[in-house]
Amino acid sequence: PSAAAAADGWLRESVAATRRAAELKPDHPYAHLFWGGALRDLGRPSEALEPLRAGAAAHPGEVDYQVGVAEVLLELNRPVE
């Protein structure tokens, strides 16, 4: 397979694994971040908002979540939310 196809497959596996990690351990500091990031990298920014916002709510001091939400909202042309 091409490099792009391999990366796509890896990201899809990452979405499944990090979603499961977030379900099993919702207080894990990075499970939601990696889940949302993988969705965003797959070109699914609307879907990325849910895990990123859940992580931001659970870890308000973790700036990576705030940045992730902001980047996705900008990508969706929704900068005011």
Side-chain angles (χ1 to χ4, degrees), residues 4-81:
D8 185 74
W10 180 85
L11 285 169
R12 289 179 190 281
E13 289 177 20
S14 179
V15 166
T18 53
R19 177 186 299 133
R20 184 71 178 138
E23 290 168 354
L24 292 173
K25 188 146 176 64
D27 61 335
H28 187 282
Y30 296 108
H32 290 90
L33 183 66
F34 296 150
W35 176 15
L39 286 166
R40 181 177 176 225
D41 290 345
L42 279 170
R44 296 160 49 186
S46 294
E47 293 175 62
L49 276 177
E50 180 183 343
L52 290 171
R53 284 185 166 154
H59 306 284
E62 190 65 51
V63 71
D64 290 335
Y65 283 108
Q66 306 303 324
V67 171
V69 169
E71 288 175 344
V72 167
L73 288 173
L74 286 172
E75 190 172 331
L76 293 170
N77 199 27
R78 294 166 40 192
V80 180
E81 287 184 43

